[in-house]
């Protein structure tokens, strides 16, 4: 059994494409079949190498590995030419020289009459030998097929005109190449967005003219943005790699994508293995799915919480490089990640949280400093400094005891010590449990930062 993903490289891999790829991949994996990747790059004007790279990067970041391909349609022009010639020779296709102007006015006339714009077959019997090549679509009866998502679909051939299968420069068009490839690559399941559902009857006519068996078709309902319009750039990051950049884990994004139009009871969290086991085309919803950024963030946080430290460290590598954090200049990264795991919604948040362990800063958040570093906190910070300085074993436990001691000796609540301490350590107040953080930041850096806080107070209130 084989399924395929066949993107056109005219942009990055977006959320909708990734969802299509995931469903086709799951269906192949579930049946121990093969997953084929095919780059549909015949539109030479709109296809770019950068888009090919972006698609391959997106697929590989998501872990949607292919067993065959990537195939490139531009490498198969000869095969398409042969098929077009075969159809011409068999009288199943013909050349058409109708000018753009003629087609335009034909369209306008039909539309003015309230009819569907379609080619009138003017060149069908002219036996021309140049111009575009059109397929002789059957003129009567119906095309009927059973879509695995949408159910039975029936279209009258009268609604379909003679489709262009090759442009006047000889290059083939999408509807021809997709049929030839799905046949040649022995694809059993064509799983794609329902924006292609109108092409399917035309493609079925081509299969029949060529005497080829039909694959099964499954057309996936579209994805809408929160406002009910089709998901687009306007709704924020729609490129898969932008989600990587924003700190999402690929497994969280896959989990999010699988739920866009597919469900299994009310289960929300699926490991890849579970998705493969439970996924079924027959459980795909018929209606469109809505994209919900908050749910994606929730899932991402769940995945971060439950991920192994090892996985987080490896996924963080890209972010750490982006932010030029030198993780050799500070504590063991595994411990730092462990301390941040519970409180980070994204890897970007986590990376920002890592900075204070590896980078010194030279100023404090001004608003917080005004609040936390006041003349009456001077004594507290000085006491903290000297007691911490006295510690031989700079452990979280000992640090915790020092804070407790100061609270009882100076008769102040925990916040009076904890809050200025947290700000001194972090520069911006974002830090988890301060004793653990302080141990990881290390004695030398902690003392230096407490000194900076004291300097701030002396300068501001002298
Ligand atoms: N290349 C087409 C697209 O990106 C998909 C074709 C198909 O799946 O049949 O929209």
């Amino acid at each position: 059994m084989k399924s395929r993903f066949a993107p056109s490289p005219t942009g990055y891999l977006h959320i909708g494409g990734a969802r299509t790829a995931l469903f086709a991949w799951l269906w192949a994996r579930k049946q121990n079949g093969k997953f084929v990747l095919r780059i549909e790059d015949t539109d030479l004007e709109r296809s770019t190498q950068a888009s090919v790279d972006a698609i391959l990067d997106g697929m590989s970041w998501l872990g949607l590995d292919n067993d065959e391909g990537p195939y490139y349609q531009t490498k198969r022009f000869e095969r398409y030419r042969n098929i077009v010639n075969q159809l011409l020779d068999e009288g199943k296709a013909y050349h058409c020289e109708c000018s753009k102007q003629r087609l335009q006015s034909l369209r306008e006339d039909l539309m003015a009459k309230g009819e569907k714009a379609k080619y009138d077959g003017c060149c069908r019997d002219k036996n021309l030998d140049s111009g575009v090549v059109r397929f002789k679509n059957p003129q009567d009866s119906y095309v009927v097929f059973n879509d695995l998502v949408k159910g039975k679909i029936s279209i009258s051939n009268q609604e379909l005109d003679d489709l262009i299968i090759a442009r006047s420069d000889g290059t083939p068009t999408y509807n021809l190449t997709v049929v030839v490839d799905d046949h040649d690559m022995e694809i059993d399941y064509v799983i794609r967005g329902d924006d292609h559902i109108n092409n399917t009857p035309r493609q079925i006519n081509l299969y029949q003219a060529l005497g080829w068996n039909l694959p099964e078709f499954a057309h996936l309902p579209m994805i809408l943005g929160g406002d009910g319009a089709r998901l687009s750039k306007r709704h924020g990051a729609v490129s898969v790699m932008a989600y990587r950049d924003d700190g999402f884990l690929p497994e969280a994004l896959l989990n999010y994508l699988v739920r866009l139009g597919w469900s299994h009871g009310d289960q929300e969290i699926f490991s890849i293995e579970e998705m493969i086991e439970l996924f079924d085309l027959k459980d795909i919803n018929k209606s469109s799915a809505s994209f919900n950024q908050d749910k994606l963030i929730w899932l991402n946080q769940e995945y971060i919480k439950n991920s192994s430290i090892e996985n987080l460290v490896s996924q963080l590598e890209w972010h750490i490089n982006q932010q030029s954090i030198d993780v050799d200049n500070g504590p063991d990264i595994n411990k730092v990640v462990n301390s941040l795991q519970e409180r980070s919604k994204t890897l970007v948040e986590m990376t920002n949280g890592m900075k204070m362990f590896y980078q010194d800063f030279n100023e404090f958040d001004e608003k917080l400093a005004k609040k936390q570093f006041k003349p009456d906190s001077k004594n507290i910070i000085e006491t903290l400094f000297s007691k911490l300085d006295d510690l031989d074993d700079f452990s979280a436990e000992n640090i915790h005891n020092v804070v407790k001691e100061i609270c009882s000796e100076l008769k102040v609540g925990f916040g009076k010590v904890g809050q200025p301490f947290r700000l001194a350590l972090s520069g911006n107040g974002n830090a988890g449990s301060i004793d653990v953080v302080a141990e990881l930041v290390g004695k030398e850096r902690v003392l230096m930062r407490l000194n900076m806080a004291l300097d701030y107070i002396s300068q501001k209130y002298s």
Side-chain angles (χ1 to χ4, degrees):
M1 171 275 175
K2 273 197 212 175
S3 67
R4 49 60 156 192
F5 177 52
S8 303
T10 52
Y12 41 61
L13 179 63
H14 53 77
I15 285 294
R19 197 257 327 237
T20 302
L22 172 63
F23 282 17
W25 181 87
L26 286 172
W27 194 235
R29 291 287 166 264
K30 185 183 177 73
Q31 292 167 76
N32 288 317
K34 295 219 155 97
F35 177 63
V36 176
L37 178 59
R38 182 172 74 229
I39 305 291
E40 303 209 319
D41 54 353
T42 52
D43 185 342
L44 302 175
E45 266 167 35
R46 294 177 59 225
S47 301
T48 64
Q49 186 58 41
S51 299
V52 172
D53 295 342
I55 291 168
L56 298 180
D57 284 352
M59 294 292 284
S60 112
W61 180 68
L62 288 171
L64 301 178
D65 55 331
N66 49 291
D67 306 292
E68 282 181 33
Y71 295 115
Y72 292 85
Q73 292 193 320
T74 42
K75 301 222 169 99
R76 293 175 43 79
F77 275 173
E78 198 180 320
R79 171 70 176 149
Y80 307 133
R81 201 171 304 123
N82 290 338
I83 294 293
V84 170
N85 288 338
Q86 179 190 327
L87 289 167
L88 284 167
D89 291 346
E90 292 173 354
K92 293 172 179 166
Y94 60 92
H95 279 107
C96 162
E97 286 179 354
C98 287
S99 65
K100 273 206 177 105
Q101 289 86 326
R102 176 174 188 277
L103 295 175
Q104 178 69 20
S105 68
L106 178 67
R107 187 174 310 126
E108 281 163 12
D109 290 351
L110 286 169
M111 289 186 28
K113 282 194 257 166
E115 287 176 32
K116 205 171 148 186
K118 63 179 234 198
Y119 180 60
D120 60 357
C122 168
C123 296
R124 232 180 195 237
D125 301 311
K126 285 190 185 159
N127 258 329
L128 302 170
D129 54 15
S130 66
V132 302
V133 178
R134 287 184 186 269
F135 171 62
K136 270 190 194 164
N137 198 79
Q139 287 175 310
D140 47 25
S141 84
Y142 286 79
V143 182
V144 182
F145 68 102
N146 184 39
D147 187 272
L148 296 177
V149 176
K150 310 255 169 184
K152 186 174 159 190
I153 294 185
S154 162
I155 300 279
S156 161
N157 270 319
Q158 287 189 340
E159 288 193 33
L160 307 174
D161 58 3
D162 290 346
L163 175 77
I164 297 179
I165 55 175
R167 302 179 186 93
S168 48
D169 63 2
T171 57
T173 59
Y174 160 69
N175 281 298
L176 179 93
T177 58
V178 76
V179 168
V180 174
D181 285 355
D182 284 337
H183 167 263
D184 288 4
M185 294 168 194
E186 299 175 326
I187 302 299
D188 303 288
Y189 288 88
V190 168
I191 300 169
R192 60 186 171 199
D194 66 4
D195 47 335
H196 284 290
I197 203 156
N198 291 334
N199 289 320
T200 308
R202 302 167 175 284
Q203 293 172 11
I204 289 177
N205 282 331
L206 272 168
Y207 276 99
Q208 276 159 356
L210 290 159
W212 291 343
N213 289 335
L214 293 178
E216 298 279 359
F217 293 98
H219 287 92
L220 309 176
M222 61 177 159
I223 303 174
L224 306 177
D227 57 359
R230 191 185 187 104
L231 190 68
S232 72
K233 275 190 211 154
R234 270 187 312 116
H235 299 101
V238 288
S239 133
V240 162
M241 293 317 269
Y243 286 92
R244 189 268 317 261
D245 300 358
D246 287 349
F248 289 89
L249 287 169
E251 50 272 36
L253 188 57
L254 287 175
N255 193 146
Y256 183 72
L257 290 174
V258 83
R259 290 282 294 104
L260 278 178
W262 175 82
S263 54
H264 179 75
D266 47 19
Q267 186 172 339
E268 286 295 356
I269 298 192
F270 299 87
S271 66
I272 299 284
E273 294 71 30
E274 271 179 304
M275 286 184 208
I276 293 173
E277 191 192 320
L278 300 171
F279 181 77
D280 200 319
L281 291 176
K282 73 176 172 28
D283 296 326
I284 294 175
N285 299 339
K286 289 189 182 17
S287 49
S288 47
S290 283
F291 192 81
N292 177 341
Q293 183 82 7
D294 292 340
K295 188 167 159 196
L296 173 58
I297 294 175
W298 171 77
L299 264 175
N300 201 48
Q301 184 163 22
E302 287 298 306
Y303 270 85
I304 289 180
K305 270 194 213 155
N306 294 308
S307 169
S308 69
I309 299 292
E310 198 187 353
N311 178 45
L312 290 175
V313 169
S314 107
Q315 302 283 350
L316 279 163
E317 200 180 310
W318 184 85
H319 295 277
I320 291 170
N321 284 338
Q322 284 294 303
Q323 305 245 23
S324 311
I325 300 175
D326 177 7
V327 292
D328 292 330
N329 179 31
D332 178 353
I333 183 169
N334 294 289
K335 292 187 180 158
V336 171
V337 168
N338 187 41
S339 79
L340 293 165
Q341 186 171 19
E342 280 295 315
R343 46 196 313 272
S344 306
K345 290 201 274 294
T346 68
L347 297 180
V348 168
E349 250 179 56
M350 209 178 230
T351 313
N352 288 333
M354 286 177 75
K355 284 185 188 158
M356 67 167 169
F357 296 95
Y358 301 102
Q359 294 174 348
D360 294 318
F361 45 86
N362 37 33
E363 53 190 25
F364 297 103
D365 177 278
E366 183 54 27
K367 229 170 112 192
L368 291 174
K370 258 195 207 152
K371 207 165 140 204
Q372 301 301 345
F373 300 154
K374 292 210 184 112
D376 65 356
S377 30
K378 187 162 178 248
N379 181 30
I380 294 174
I381 298 173
E382 274 169 357
T383 318
L384 189 58
F385 183 99
S386 85
K387 283 186 187 280
L388 291 177
D389 194 15
D390 285 346
L391 284 182
D392 288 328
D393 176 12
F394 204 70
S395 67
E397 196 189 343
N398 288 343
I399 297 165
H400 180 79
N401 289 335
V402 161
V403 174
K404 253 173 50 188
E405 242 172 67
I406 300 176
C407 292
S408 69
E409 280 173 18
L410 303 181
K411 298 195 175 42
V412 291
F414 176 82
K416 283 271 178 218
V417 188
Q419 287 182 7
F421 192 10
R422 167 170 282 117
L423 181 60
L425 281 177
S426 59
N428 57 21
N430 289 328
S433 163
I434 36 174
D435 41 11
V436 176
V437 170
E439 176 188 324
L440 287 172
V441 168
K443 187 169 176 178
E444 197 184 323
R445 276 188 162 135
V446 169
L447 295 180
M448 194 180 79
R449 291 178 194 178
L450 288 173
N451 251 335
M452 260 176 71
L454 291 171
D455 285 350
Y456 175 95
I457 299 175
S458 349
Q459 274 165 28
K460 186 139 189 124
Y461 302 99
S462 55

